[in-house]
Amino acid sequence: MITYKIIEFTTPVHIGDRGIGVEAHTPIVSSTTLYSALVAALTSLGVRIDLNEPVIIPSSLIPVISISDREHLLLWLRGLHIILSNGLSKLKAMVNKKISLLDYSRAYETLRRVCLVDRSFLDIKDPSECTINIIDYDNVRVIELVCDNKTFYVVEAIPFGKALIESKLEKIPKEIILAFNERRIRNVVDRITQSTTPYYLGLTRYITRTVFLYDINTNIVSLKDVNAALRLLGDIGLGGERTYGFGQFKVLDKRVDEVQKLTNYIRRSNREYEYTVVQGLYSPSKEELTKSILPRSIYTCIFHGGRSGLTGFPRSLVLTLQEGSIVHIVEKKFIDGFEIPVIGKIVRDVIESDIVVRSFSPFHIPLVSLKGDLYGC
């Protein structure tokens, strides 16, 4: 069952990225963090679940922006510059005619940094046939994409990177501020010498709402229990530094039409697709790797590890594909009637008294019309 909740953070968030002191942080709350936290919250509520089955398939937290009273749902997407390679080739052919080589280089680099796209971009019949234009607006060069009579603009999405949005405003937004990255000073006190060692703690302060999309195997856990666990998690907090009150959020009842359109889009049972956009960390199973899904996929590989919450010991490192990767579907699988076209690993780390469960079976959004061979980058 695919559903969603709108979340509004009321306090700063710290999600450790790397380093022993976990000073570094990421503004992206990954699906594995949400999965492990939800499993812990369900356990606290007394719900018994099988830790070896993907009972919940969550997405990363997706920002929602509001422009001129219109709600735009942004999706994670990697490799947009590869999808638009045809348009870039046509743009390069215009060098020394309408645009300069410098403008072409900037266009390519800008599209390479796009990691968020408007939901309506999924409705494009063939994204590779989009026309790329470079226009002047207020003495600033703006990249414009025209696809199936829809116009998209590339804007700055602080602090995530670049975003591709559809806008019919008279004034093209130059940047969208979704969150702020901050640093706060902390001290480690030596109890013997009373000396202190200062360090900086990174954090993210969201100024926009986020949407949490997730797929629930209702044969194992009920929607009522998951919603209760999500409310409990909002009170407990998400991520690190919860003793300082970090990571607290409230679940809003207000619905967003764009999210409802997306869930209806995903629910279509008669759709046919070869590619899907994973909205969480994805570690392919051995069976999927043997069928060579990666040569026709766009992906970025990272190691996901970190440290356990109670003991602080390192968790096992897992090689994963990053959020927003475009994965080629070889064969769809059904588990108890539950469609899982990309089957990832369930990693269960037991470190002394601390149990951490991470799901690398990601929530996904199909790309119905994408065609041709893709390549990892």
Side-chain angles (χ1 to χ4, degrees):
M1 177 180 181
I2 299 173
T3 186
Y4 68 92
K5 289 293 181 182
I6 304 297
I7 293 173
E8 182 178 356
F9 281 99
T10 56
T11 61
V13 183
H14 173 80
I15 303 294
D17 187 15
R18 60 188 180 277
I20 297 176
V22 295
E23 295 90 351
H25 76 294
T26 172
I28 299 174
V29 183
S30 68
S31 60
T32 52
T33 299
L34 290 165
Y35 181 85
S36 184
L38 276 173
V39 167
L42 283 166
T43 304
S44 300
L45 293 173
V47 180
R48 301 190 64 177
I49 57 177
D50 185 355
L51 297 181
N52 296 314
E53 290 287 339
V55 294
I56 307 167
I57 299 181
S59 69
S60 301
L61 289 186
I62 303 171
V64 178
I65 62 173
S66 178
I67 301 178
S68 183
D69 298 326
R70 277 193 62 191
E71 297 292 348
H72 292 252
L73 174 64
L74 298 180
L75 304 172
W76 302 110
L77 183 69
R78 303 281 176 182
L80 181 65
H81 61 298
I82 298 178
I83 296 175
L84 298 172
S85 58
N86 289 343
L88 282 166
S89 298
K90 295 176 184 177
L91 191 65
K92 190 175 183 179
M94 295 170 61
V95 172
N96 299 326
K97 294 181 180 179
K98 295 183 180 180
I99 65 167
S100 66
L101 182 61
L102 179 60
D103 284 338
Y104 164 76
S105 300
R106 286 174 177 171
Y108 175 83
E109 186 63 24
T110 299
L111 291 173
R112 191 178 69 84
R113 291 186 56 216
V114 170
C115 62
L116 295 166
V117 296
D118 200 305
R119 187 215 68 86
S120 57
F121 188 74
L122 295 180
D123 297 328
I124 304 303
K125 293 181 181 178
D126 189 355
S128 64
E129 294 300 322
C130 292
T131 302
I132 302 173
N133 300 322
I134 299 177
I135 61 175
D136 289 318
Y137 182 81
D138 286 349
N139 297 321
V140 176
R141 290 294 176 97
V142 178
I143 296 180
E144 175 187 85
L145 265 71
V146 180
C147 314
D148 296 348
N149 297 322
K150 291 184 178 182
T151 303
F152 298 89
Y153 300 98
V154 179
V155 297
E156 199 75 40
I158 300 173
F160 300 95
K162 299 286 187 180
L164 184 70
I165 65 167
E166 181 186 10
S167 176
K168 296 182 180 179
L169 302 179
E170 294 181 1
K171 182 178 181 180
I172 301 172
K174 297 180 182 178
E175 65 180 24
I176 300 170
I177 300 177
L178 300 173
F180 287 107
N181 283 343
E182 300 178 13
R183 291 200 306 171
R184 292 190 182 181
I185 194 167
R186 291 283 188 269
N187 283 306
V188 177
V189 180
D190 189 320
R191 296 186 180 182
I192 297 177
T193 64
Q194 300 301 311
S195 62
T196 60
T197 302
Y199 69 96
Y200 286 97
L201 176 75
L203 59 93
T204 299
R205 187 184 298 275
Y206 293 91
I207 61 172
T208 181
R209 295 171 297 158
T210 58
V211 60
F212 177 37
L213 290 160
Y214 52 102
D215 207 340
I216 301 175
N217 188 345
T218 52
N219 294 326
I220 300 176
V221 66
S222 69
L223 176 62
K224 181 179 178 181
D225 288 337
V226 175
N227 289 339
L230 192 62
R231 290 193 299 270
L232 175 62
L233 192 60
D235 294 333
I236 296 174
L238 186 66
E241 304 296 321
R242 293 190 299 276
T243 54
Y244 291 96
F246 279 25
Q248 295 182 356
F249 60 86
K250 56 184 178 181
V251 181
L252 304 180
D253 294 330
K254 184 178 179 181
R255 304 179 72 85
V256 178
D257 291 339
E258 280 292 304
V259 185
Q260 189 61 58
K261 291 178 183 177
L262 177 64
T263 53
N264 292 337
Y265 173 88
I266 298 171
R267 281 194 181 103
R268 295 178 196 161
S269 58
N270 59 348
R271 65 185 183 276
E272 293 294 332
Y273 57 92
E274 282 190 87
Y275 296 93
T276 189
V277 183
V278 293
Q279 295 295 297
L281 297 176
Y282 168 49
S283 182
S285 63
K286 291 182 179 180
E287 181 183 2
E288 290 170 309
L289 287 174
T290 56
K291 292 186 177 178
S292 302
I293 65 168
L294 296 185
R296 296 187 63 188
S297 302
I298 295 176
Y299 59 92
T300 302
C301 292
I302 61 171
F303 277 104
H304 188 273
R307 293 178 175 268
S308 60
L310 295 177
T311 61
F313 288 113
R315 296 197 293 261
S316 58
L317 286 176
V318 180
L319 183 63
T320 70
L321 274 59
Q322 203 168 8
E323 297 98 337
S325 297
I326 301 174
V327 178
H328 176 233
I329 301 301
V330 178
E331 181 182 358
K332 298 179 185 177
K333 293 288 186 179
F334 293 86
I335 300 177
D336 295 329
F338 193 51
E339 182 184 278
I340 307 179
V342 283
I343 303 175
K345 302 174 183 176
I346 301 292
V347 178
R348 185 172 181 264
D349 290 325
V350 181
I351 307 174
E352 293 189 356
S353 60
D354 199 4
I355 300 177
V356 179
V357 182
R358 291 174 289 166
S359 172
F360 296 99
S361 180
F363 188 89
H364 73 102
I365 297 172
L367 278 175
V368 177
S369 58
L370 196 60
K371 59 184 179 181
D373 288 346
L374 305 175
Y375 301 94
C377 56

